[in-house]
Amino acid sequence: MPTYVGMPAFPEAARSAVRDTRLRRNLAHATTTIRAKRAAAVSELADWAELRETAKLIKDHTIEHLGHYLRLLEEQVTARGGTVHWARDAAEANRIVTDLIKATGETDVVKVKSMATQEIGLNEALAAEGIHAHETDLAELIVQLGNDRPSHILVPAIHRGRAEIREIFRREMPGAPDDLTDEPARLAEAARTHLRERFLAAKVAVSGVNFAVAETGSLVVVESEGNGRMCLTLPETLISVMGIEKVVPAWRDLEVFLQLLPRSSTAERMNPYTSIWSGATEGQTFHLVLVDNGRTATRADEVGRQALRCIRCSACLNVCPVYQRAGGHAYGSPYPGPIGAILSPQLRGSGSPVDDSLPYASTLCGACYEVCPVAIDIPEVLVHLRSRAVHGRAEKAAMRFAAWTLRSPTRLAFGQRLAGTAGRILGRGGGIRRLPGPLTRWTDTRDAPVPARETFREWWEKRS
């Protein structure tokens, strides 16, 4: 994820975000609206719990036998005239896509919204080779024209208000009307006019993949605007970039996910546009790029591998109290919110400040697990990743001291009495506003409770 290299740790990045009242207002309004609509859509299905469990089982079975289903997918795509490429990491995937586009002689491509291409930094890699990728999803177009980063999986420009979007269009969009207003219909019309020229002129398109059916080599893209359908059908060359975990075994499995995804993401009974194709279609050259980029390593972790079930619905973002206040940019990854907090550190590997901090970007309230349509136990994975995070010497020393204290009833009793005495000295108004030394990191963002004047042991001795 090269565009996110050097991002600060989550607490530092979130500090400025929570002070932005306009951002918090936009996030609160959008996530509350989406959350309520999703709940209504889900309540219509009496068998939602059964669908959720079935999806979980399908994903777990596929991940367990991933090599088999990927080989079957390759065979079926190849048999239907497509070409399959394998990429170990982001650099290899970008090189493959760049070379394929260069072979066509084109320097402009149109793109369907794709998390995988954001993950590998494809747009930046293409730009370095003189190729311009035009985003065609409305929200992605807003982000691209604003030289911005996406902040939500489903609604990448969720942090932008209508007035901001109007100014971006008037400043950056060629041919934008001088009298453009911030009315949604006018903004959509301006984008439609701008994109129509791109669709008609493009010879090459790049897409992501929501699902791939191994038994038939069929690929699926779901979207709400119709831009995907234009990109998938009009250009002479189609290049689809897919994370290897997106494969499902059979058509009957796809039926489960096409019920779960629209209700969990856009709160619709079905997607307005569901495009399915198998191999190369008449008059078009088709390439499928299968990307690993840390997924095999994630699969090897018995606890963390459940993150690979994710179908990118964004339901967990919309219920997360941390995301609602900090926004998506603070996560330093194209995958924000609770799913990003467990997926990014596994795909990229721990070691950087941002990836070490992401497992702590949660209250562990469990709301994300309750709404996840594939039953990813995000709190369980967060705790698991916290145990793997790199800790400093001071923290390790503190844990050793705590273990030494807890091993002895005498030492524990002395520590409790000492804490009570210190609390009476430091505590004012029912809380300790600032602890000494390295403990100030705790009280920088919260008050510490004052220890009780009387320990439980003392209370028990008096009454026994």
Side-chain angles (χ1 to χ4, degrees):
M1 304 182 193
T3 56
Y4 293 86
V5 168
M7 292 285 286
F10 181 85
E12 182 182 343
R15 192 170 291 117
S16 60
V18 296
R19 296 194 187 105
D20 188 335
T21 56
R22 181 170 58 181
L23 172 65
R24 292 183 64 173
R25 185 168 59 249
N26 289 349
L27 288 171
H29 173 72
T31 55
T32 301
T33 301
I34 298 170
R35 186 165 64 239
K37 289 182 177 180
R38 177 205 169 272
V42 167
S43 68
E44 294 177 350
L45 292 183
D47 62 344
W48 180 262
E50 289 78 10
L51 281 170
R52 184 178 187 243
E53 181 63 20
T54 301
K56 171 188 172 182
L57 295 175
I58 292 170
K59 278 289 189 177
D60 286 349
H61 168 79
T62 308
I63 292 167
E64 183 66 29
H65 303 91
L66 190 57
H68 166 71
Y69 289 115
L70 288 173
R71 286 190 293 272
L72 179 58
L73 176 68
E74 180 183 31
E75 291 172 5
Q76 295 300 321
V77 170
T78 303
R80 289 164 170 77
T83 304
V84 178
H85 309 263
W86 299 79
R88 296 179 182 86
D89 53 27
E92 188 169 8
N94 288 332
R95 179 184 57 76
I96 291 169
V97 176
T98 301
D99 289 347
L100 290 173
I101 297 171
K102 282 185 172 181
T104 68
E106 296 295 317
T107 56
D108 287 271
V109 301
V110 289
K111 279 189 69 209
V112 186
K113 183 178 182 296
S114 164
M115 298 303 300
T117 59
Q118 289 177 20
E119 175 190 323
I120 64 176
L122 179 63
N123 286 12
E124 292 74 21
L126 294 179
E129 297 294 329
I131 301 169
H132 186 75
H134 300 276
E135 297 289 352
T136 62
D137 174 84
L138 177 56
E140 290 287 0
L141 176 64
I142 294 166
V143 170
Q144 185 177 48
L145 292 177
N147 194 28
D148 202 353
R149 288 190 177 101
S151 63
H152 192 278
I153 291 175
L154 177 65
V155 195
I158 195 172
H159 57 288
R160 295 289 194 183
R162 291 186 303 174
E164 292 178 285
I165 296 169
R166 178 196 61 197
E167 292 307 312
I168 290 172
F169 280 11
R170 291 177 64 179
R171 185 177 64 248
E172 303 292 341
M173 181 186 288
D178 295 332
D179 61 347
L180 183 64
T181 68
D182 64 0
E183 295 176 24
R186 293 291 306 279
L187 294 172
E189 178 60 29
R192 187 179 299 114
T193 302
H194 168 75
L195 290 173
R196 187 174 295 121
E197 298 178 9
R198 301 283 183 260
F199 290 135
L200 295 176
K203 302 295 184 183
V204 181
V206 177
S207 83
V209 177
N210 290 103
F211 306 102
V213 182
E215 70 173 356
T216 59
S218 303
L219 305 182
V220 184
V221 166
V222 297
E223 37 110 9
S224 300
E225 300 172 14
N227 62 299
R229 184 71 55 82
M230 301 285 277
C231 289
L232 296 172
T233 56
L234 290 178
E236 297 171 359
T237 300
L238 173 61
I239 304 167
S240 295
V241 181
M242 171 187 139
I244 56 176
E245 82 283 12
K246 295 296 183 70
V247 66
V248 296
W251 272 100
R252 62 184 298 177
D253 303 317
L254 182 62
E255 178 256 346
V256 174
F257 294 101
L258 290 183
Q259 292 186 73
L260 290 169
L261 179 57
R263 292 176 186 265
S264 286
S265 56
T266 56
E268 296 170 299
R269 295 183 180 92
M270 66 180 294
N271 295 99
Y273 295 90
T274 300
S275 300
I276 305 175
W277 70 101
S278 303
T281 58
E282 185 177 356
Q284 189 181 70
T285 302
F286 174 62
H287 298 271
L288 174 61
V289 182
L290 297 173
V291 181
D292 187 322
N293 201 38
R295 287 161 174 79
T296 297
T298 302
R299 177 177 174 269
D301 188 318
E302 291 296 328
V303 177
R305 70 192 304 177
Q306 61 186 293
L308 297 178
R309 294 182 203 147
C310 178
I311 57 175
R312 310 295 192 264
C313 71
S314 77
C316 61
L317 280 69
N318 300 323
V319 299
C320 177
V322 176
Y323 173 85
Q324 190 176 93
R325 287 155 181 80
H329 292 156
Y331 291 83
S333 163
Y335 302 112
I339 187 60
I342 66 170
L343 189 58
S344 299
Q346 295 192 88
L347 295 183
R348 299 189 296 201
S350 299
S352 69
V354 63
D355 287 316
D356 283 345
S357 68
L358 284 178
Y360 297 89
S362 171
T363 64
L364 300 179
C365 68
C368 49
Y369 173 56
E370 294 300 322
V371 300
C372 178
V374 287
I376 302 171
D377 193 341
I378 293 178
E380 178 188 33
V381 183
L382 286 168
V383 172
H384 172 65
L385 294 178
R386 289 179 184 186
S387 70
R388 284 175 25 184
V390 178
H391 301 293
R393 293 181 180 179
E395 187 173 350
K396 290 180 179 179
M399 292 298 103
R400 284 195 294 268
F401 178 75
W404 177 79
T405 302
L406 294 171
R407 278 196 297 267
S408 166
T410 303
R411 291 194 290 265
L412 177 59
F414 174 77
Q416 289 172 331
R417 289 195 298 273
L418 184 63
T421 303
R424 288 192 290 273
I425 297 172
L426 297 173
R428 292 186 180 89
I432 301 174
R433 295 179 179 268
R434 189 168 182 80
L435 288 169
L439 298 177
T440 55
R441 292 185 62 184
W442 176 271
T443 49
D444 280 345
T445 54
R446 59 182 70 80
D447 289 345
V450 177
R453 289 177 175 272
E454 185 179 48
T455 69
F456 175 79
R457 291 168 180 271
E458 293 169 339
W459 178 89
W460 182 259
E461 286 176 1
K462 287 180 181 179
R463 286 157 179 77
S464 63

